[in-house]
Amino acid sequence: MEVWVLVSATVSFVLALVLFLRLVSVRHSLKEISNGLEDRLCTDTNTLILVSSGDREVRALDSKLNAQLETLRADRLRYENGDAQLKASMTNLSHDIRTPLTAICGYLDLLEGQPLSDEQRRYLAVIRERANAMKDLTEELLQYSVTTSSMDCLESKPVCLNEVLEESLAGFYGVFSSVGIAPDVRIAENHVVRSLDRKALRRVFDNILSNASKYSKGDLEVVLTAKGEIRFSNAAPDLDSVQTQRLFDRFFSIENARGSYGLGLSIARLLINQIGGSIGATYNDGVLCVTVCF
């Protein structure tokens, strides 16, 4: 009887040991799969996930994951190639359209210098307005394609936010004067320095100010705090809180007829995300406030 008890205990011990060793092996293989999957998702590589376990189910799981990774890699490659082709097509299309548009604007200049009736001048003004709208759209498309193509080449260097903001405001002096905007500017006295790409930062400020020049009702407040927060505020009665949340969407604009095709703020958001900042918009009591933080 004691022999059978000893044999039974020994068999149970051996079975428990085998199960324990198998459990350890499976957990080790799952850890290999987890680490391998994380690595393959974060890096561009064609290597497969390898496991040391001989367990059939673990190897089946590894095989299925590798198959999905190959599919994901192929889809990513198609997306990247398609995205590159789209950007190239947008750039080429923008360049191709600019040439005939320049000729059209030149002939319009000649026509405006000729003796015309009031009705003819009214028609000519409509043609001029539509030609300028096409010209602005072409420039926005070109700017968008060039910006997205060069985002990988951004360089981070110490940049004074005060100086770049002042340069951008000075560059828009003529635009603001032409539409009757006298900006109320309040910039921190101390230099606010961040590690950023200077050209990208200037493009962000220019796009936001360009948007304000189109939609402001004559007022614009620009504030730069010592903490690196920049606020652009202006009255915008044509907006509402729902539209405000879509301001950074591509091709969204309140009025396309006013010459904006919704790419300026979209480009600003892309650049802000790339250089490590944040951008957002709020709408309260008829006032739009675009806030950029570094």
Side-chain angles (χ1 to χ4, degrees):
M1 187 67 179
E2 293 180 357
V3 174
W4 283 109
V5 172
L6 181 60
V7 171
S8 177
T10 302
V11 171
S12 299
F13 174 77
V14 171
L15 290 175
L17 181 61
V18 170
L19 291 175
F20 175 75
L21 292 176
R22 184 172 182 180
L23 177 61
V24 170
S25 176
V26 170
R27 292 188 60 180
H28 178 71
S29 298
L30 291 177
K31 188 175 182 180
E32 288 179 329
I33 292 175
S34 177
N35 293 337
L37 180 61
E38 183 179 3
D39 179 67
R40 300 312 184 276
L41 292 176
C42 296
T43 58
D44 186 13
T45 176
N46 292 323
T47 59
L48 301 178
I49 300 174
L50 301 177
V51 293
S52 57
S53 174
D55 185 86
R56 184 170 56 186
E57 297 298 329
V58 172
R59 287 194 169 277
L61 173 62
D62 180 57
S63 178
K64 291 180 180 179
L65 284 175
N66 282 326
Q68 291 299 317
L69 284 174
E70 290 179 353
T71 301
L72 180 62
R73 191 177 299 113
D75 290 341
R76 180 188 298 173
L77 184 61
R78 283 195 297 270
Y79 168 78
E80 291 176 350
N81 290 337
D83 190 52
Q85 292 175 3
L86 176 61
K87 291 175 183 177
S89 298
M90 289 175 62
T91 302
N92 295 333
L93 180 63
S94 299
H95 282 296
D96 291 341
I97 293 176
R98 291 172 79 181
T99 301
L101 270 178
T102 302
I104 290 172
C105 291
Y107 281 110
L108 287 176
D109 291 338
L110 293 175
L111 279 174
E112 289 173 346
Q114 301 297 317
L116 300 172
S117 66
D118 292 341
E119 184 177 10
Q120 288 173 329
R121 291 197 177 278
R122 187 169 64 253
Y123 293 155
L124 189 60
V126 173
I127 297 173
R128 167 70 74 178
E129 191 273 333
R130 289 293 83 197
N132 288 337
M134 277 292 296
K135 191 174 181 180
D136 290 341
L137 173 59
T138 302
E139 292 298 328
E140 287 192 25
L141 287 173
L142 180 60
Q143 183 188 64
Y144 182 83
S145 59
V146 170
T147 299
T148 52
S149 298
S150 60
M151 283 176 61
D152 293 334
C153 303
L154 300 180
E155 296 181 353
S156 293
K157 296 181 179 179
V159 175
C160 179
L161 302 185
N162 313 54
E163 294 179 359
V164 179
L165 181 58
E166 290 171 356
E167 291 173 2
S168 189
L169 286 167
F172 273 82
Y173 175 80
V175 176
F176 290 148
S177 298
S178 65
V179 294
I181 297 177
D184 177 16
V185 181
R186 285 174 284 166
I187 297 179
E189 295 182 1
N190 297 332
H191 285 183
V192 183
V193 179
R194 297 290 186 271
S195 182
L196 305 167
D197 183 276
R198 185 183 183 91
K199 291 183 180 179
L201 180 63
R202 175 65 186 271
R203 176 66 60 81
V204 168
F205 289 158
D206 284 354
N207 286 5
I208 295 175
L209 292 175
S210 176
N211 187 76
S213 70
K214 292 184 177 76
Y215 293 103
S216 173
K217 294 303 181 180
D219 66 315
L220 175 62
E221 181 182 79
V222 181
V223 179
L224 168 62
T225 69
K227 295 182 178 180
E229 181 180 273
I230 308 100
R231 297 190 298 271
F232 304 84
S233 305
N234 61 272
D238 296 333
L239 276 175
D240 56 42
S241 56
V242 175
Q243 292 171 330
T244 300
Q245 302 306 313
R246 297 190 57 198
L247 284 179
F248 301 100
D249 294 347
R250 280 185 297 178
F251 302 110
F252 174 80
S253 64
I254 306 305
E255 279 185 73
N256 282 349
R258 295 179 65 176
S260 174
Y261 289 85
L263 289 174
L265 291 182
S266 176
I267 292 173
R269 182 176 63 176
L270 287 173
L271 291 172
I272 285 290
N273 292 338
Q274 190 74 7
I275 62 180
S278 63
I279 186 171
T282 57
Y283 187 77
N284 294 303
D285 298 327
V287 176
L288 170 68
C289 181
V290 176
T291 303
V292 178
C293 297
F294 296 102

